[in-house]
């Protein structure tokens, strides 16, 4: 029987059945990236997150929050009050993801003009006719 450290060393995201690939799928989701960035500023309520992530549907926001809670990246904290208050803070594991997500967001914002130019050049070069 392999130890946990041996199993961890055997993770290879290039293999289809590797759990690390599933985790990469999760954290590469646009809503996950944006949620982690939003929650980096501190715990937020569902309505705050909904306003920050302007075009996310209620269903997608709920599903993404549940998935992140299941993966241990955030917690759902309920404060008994009228009405009940529910906050979503990142866990230490989720906080460890923040620097990477901030860098990816910043990279996308910084390089969007170059990508737009490249797309236009590609579309022109591959246009029929």
């Amino acid at each position: 029987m392999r130890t946990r450290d041996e199993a961890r060393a055997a993770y290879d995201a290039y293999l289809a059945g590797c759990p690390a690939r599933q985790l990469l799928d999760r954290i590469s989701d646009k809503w996950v990236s944006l949620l982690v960035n939003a929650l980096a500023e501190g715990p937020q309520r569902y309505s705050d997150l909904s306003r920050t992530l302007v075009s996310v549907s209620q269903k997608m926001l709920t599903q993404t929050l549940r998935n992140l809670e299941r993966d241990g990246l955030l917690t759902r904290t309920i404060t008994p009050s009228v009405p009940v208050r529910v906050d979503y803070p990142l866990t230490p594991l989720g906080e460890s993801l923040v620097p990477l997500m901030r860098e990816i967001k910043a990279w996308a914002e910084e390089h969007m003009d170059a990508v737009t130019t490249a797309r236009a050049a590609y579309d022109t070069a591959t246009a029929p006719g």
Side-chain angles (χ1 to χ4, degrees), residues 67-74 91-94:
N67 287 338
L68 291 175
E69 183 178 15
R70 181 173 182 253
D71 289 344
L73 299 175
L74 61 77
T91 63
L93 183 61

Side-chain angles (χ1 to χ4, degrees), residues 21-34:
R21 181 180 281 195
Q22 295 168 357
L23 183 56
L24 284 172
D25 285 344
R26 170 89 70 232
I27 63 176
S28 66
D29 178 84
K30 71 178 175 182
W31 298 121
V32 168
S33 173
L34 293 171

Side-chain angles (χ1 to χ4, degrees), residues 45 76-87:
R45 298 172 80 172
R76 184 173 184 264
T77 304
I78 300 171
T79 304
S81 61
V82 178
V84 173
R85 180 182 175 105
V86 180
D87 291 290

Side-chain angles (χ1 to χ4, degrees), residues 27 33 37 99-109:
I27 63 176
S33 173
N37 275 297
L100 297 168
M101 292 301 189
R102 280 187 172 160
E103 285 297 316
I104 291 169
K105 179 179 175 284
W107 184 93
E109 292 167 347

Side-chain angles (χ1 to χ4, degrees), residues 16-65:
C18 180
R21 181 180 281 195
Q22 295 168 357
L23 183 56
L24 284 172
D25 285 344
R26 170 89 70 232
I27 63 176
S28 66
D29 178 84
K30 71 178 175 182
W31 298 121
V32 168
S33 173
L34 293 171
L35 272 171
V36 169
N37 275 297
L39 292 172
E41 305 306 317
Q44 293 190 43
R45 298 172 80 172
Y46 184 95
S47 58
D48 297 329
L49 292 169
S50 182
R51 277 191 297 277
T52 300
L53 281 68
V54 178
S55 61
V56 68
S57 69
Q58 183 176 354
K59 177 183 176 185
M60 185 54 65
L61 180 55
T62 299
Q63 180 180 335
T64 304
L65 288 167

